[in-house]
């Protein structure tokens, strides 16, 4: 059975370490038309920071997932659909390939039906995720495509995530990566900030993820990215 993410064209990532834009509410994010919310970030995705956000989203009807950097005490609740566990394929620090995950499995009691891996390929060398994971971002298009094929065909990953966090990526790389996948869902994240950038990336990825635009420009700007995504999908 395909994962729920097969239905997602547009995802909004909420970083619990960053404030919302002036006057925005968490509940307002669910009204933008985005298909799902992921609560995640490079640092401080702790239960203490995540729980108030889940509480504020209690009436949301879209799926809400967490990329935890903590040991969750429960697998899912009414407000929480489950956990997405990033595996950074091009990390040089193995902590981010199996290390943190091993510790999580050893020390928690998760229900596996609610836990899904995401195969990240980190591509912006100046991003904090690249620094933390010591990602090798010196990759040409064939390298990226090979990581994606490795993810799907060897490691059995259902989500491949091109992570350009903080900068708009190369649409040719995204398109080539999607062409190389057979059924895995290609997530693209990085630098989407308006209608046009969303349209461009939604034309070449299965799912686009917006993050900074929420915190820096607010829910109306997120709505513009939803419109760009919808238009791109209608035309494809
Ligand atoms: C970050 O991929 C997401 O994990 C989105 O990136 O913050 O650059 O939108 P931005």
């Amino acid at each position: 059975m395909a994962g729920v993410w097969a239905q997602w064209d547009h995802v909004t990532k909420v970083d619990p370490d960053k404030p919302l834009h002036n006057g925005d509410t968490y509940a307002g994010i669910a009204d933008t038309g985005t298909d799902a919310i992921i609560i995640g970030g490079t640092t401080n995705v702790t239960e203490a920071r995540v729980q108030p956000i889940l509480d504020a989203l209690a009436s949301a009807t879209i799926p809400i997932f967490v990329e935890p950097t903590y040991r969750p005490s429960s697998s899912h609740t009414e407000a929480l659909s489950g956990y997405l566990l990033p595996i950074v394929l091009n990390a040089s620090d193995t902590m981010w390939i199996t290390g943190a995950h091993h510790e999580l499995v050893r020390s928690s009691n998760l229900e596996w039906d609610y836990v899904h891996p995401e195969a990240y390929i980190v591509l912006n060398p100046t991003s904090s995720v690249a620094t933390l994971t010591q990602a090798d971002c010196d990759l040409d298009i064939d390298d990226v495509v090979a990581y994606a094929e490795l993810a799907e065909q060897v490691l059995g990953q259902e989500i491949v995530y091109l992570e350009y966090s903080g900068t708009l990526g190369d649409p040719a790389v995204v398109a080539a990566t999607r062409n190389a996948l057979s059924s895995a869902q290609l997530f693209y994240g990085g630098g989407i900030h308006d209608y046009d950038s969303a349209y461009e990336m939604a034309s070449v990825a299965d799912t686009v993820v917006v993050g900074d635009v929420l915190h820096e420009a607010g829910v109306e700007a997120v709505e513009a990215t939803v419109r760009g995504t919808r238009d791109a999908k209608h035309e494809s």
Side-chain angles (χ1 to χ4, degrees):
M1 193 182 81
V4 61
W5 46 83
Q7 313 296 324
W8 300 349
D9 295 330
H10 183 286
V11 171
T12 303
K13 193 179 275 192
V14 177
D15 188 337
D17 213 18
K18 295 179 184 166
L20 292 180
H21 191 252
N22 299 344
D24 282 355
T25 63
Y26 290 108
I29 301 167
D31 296 332
T32 59
T34 194
D35 295 311
I37 292 173
I38 296 175
I39 303 171
T42 303
T43 52
N44 288 326
V45 187
T46 62
E47 202 144 37
R49 287 183 185 239
V50 168
Q51 193 54 52
I53 299 173
L54 290 175
D55 293 343
L57 286 165
S59 60
T61 54
I62 57 175
I64 299 168
F65 283 84
V66 174
E67 293 177 334
T69 58
Y70 58 94
R71 179 161 41 107
S73 53
S74 66
S75 285
H76 69 110
T77 60
E78 210 163 311
L80 176 65
S81 304
Y83 293 96
L84 296 171
L85 288 191
I87 296 168
V88 180
L89 297 182
N90 59 327
S92 297
D93 182 347
T94 57
M95 173 62 85
W96 306 108
I97 303 174
T98 55
H101 319 70
H102 177 250
E103 185 53 31
L104 182 79
V105 172
R106 220 176 70 91
S107 61
S108 56
N109 206 7
L110 292 169
E111 293 170 66
W112 295 114
D113 285 350
Y114 299 96
V115 182
H116 311 282
E118 301 165 301
Y120 270 67
I121 305 162
V122 170
L123 292 168
N124 174 8
T126 65
S127 62
S128 41
V129 63
T131 304
L132 179 74
T133 62
Q134 296 172 35
D136 173 12
C137 304
D138 187 17
L139 303 177
D140 64 23
I141 196 162
D142 293 338
D143 292 323
V144 176
V145 166
Y147 268 125
E149 290 184 337
L150 169 70
E152 181 175 35
Q153 305 299 343
V154 180
L155 302 175
Q157 298 293 295
E158 295 179 14
I159 299 171
V160 175
Y161 191 137
L162 294 185
E163 175 62 285
Y164 281 91
S165 177
T167 189
L168 201 61
D170 180 349
V173 171
V174 182
T177 304
R178 187 165 70 164
N179 285 342
L181 295 174
S182 48
S183 64
Q185 186 86 356
L186 182 65
F187 285 21
Y188 167 85
I192 293 176
H193 58 282
D194 59 7
Y195 178 97
D196 288 342
S197 50
Y199 185 98
E200 180 176 40
M201 289 306 179
S203 303
V204 285
D206 295 314
T207 302
V208 297
V209 183
V210 302
D212 285 349
V213 68
L214 168 71
H215 297 283
E216 290 170 6
V219 291
E220 283 180 20
V222 172
E223 277 169 11
T225 68
V226 171
R227 283 196 298 276
T229 301
R230 298 279 174 245
D231 286 353
K233 295 295 180 187
H234 283 144
E235 283 171 28
S236 65

